[in-house]
Amino acid sequence: MKKILIAEDNDSNFVLMTYILKKYYQFERAKNGQEAVEMADNGQYDIILMDIKMPIMTGLEATKAIKEKHPDLPIVALTANAFDSDRQAAMDAGCDDFLAKPVSSEACLATIKRFVGE
């Protein structure tokens, strides 16, 4: 089963993601950007779902750090800020795709499938 790192500081957003993913994927949670970087270095993940606004280290900073060591690891930005400038900032940081919150289960699963398959 494919394994996902969910970098999300908000409990209710994490619960929503687990509801969407639990039938199809294994997952672990990072509660801030720094934790996401450490977990990416120490774990075997197929994809990362990265919240952009997190404490200690933002999702954009974490993405840059992760992509330096793991350039082929797909990272999908998840953010409530759905402006074109936010999408561009995420892509500039190294994100491979972008999902706006609240994310639909269909959009989330289709995006993950595009990167990691079934």
Side-chain angles (χ1 to χ4, degrees), residues 84-103:
D84 285 340
S85 60
D86 297 310
R87 177 184 296 267
Q88 190 60 52
M91 301 313 257
D92 289 347
C95 289
D96 298 285
D97 208 339
F98 182 97
L99 289 170
K101 292 178 188 174
V103 65

Side-chain angles (χ1 to χ4, degrees), residues 2 5 7 16 25-26 31 41 52 59 75 78-79 82 91 99 111 117-118:
K2 302 288 184 178
L5 175 58
L16 173 62
Y25 302 101
Q26 292 180 325
K31 292 187 177 184
D41 284 345
I52 298 303
I75 300 177
L78 292 173
T79 184
M91 301 313 257
L99 289 170
T111 299
E118 292 292 333

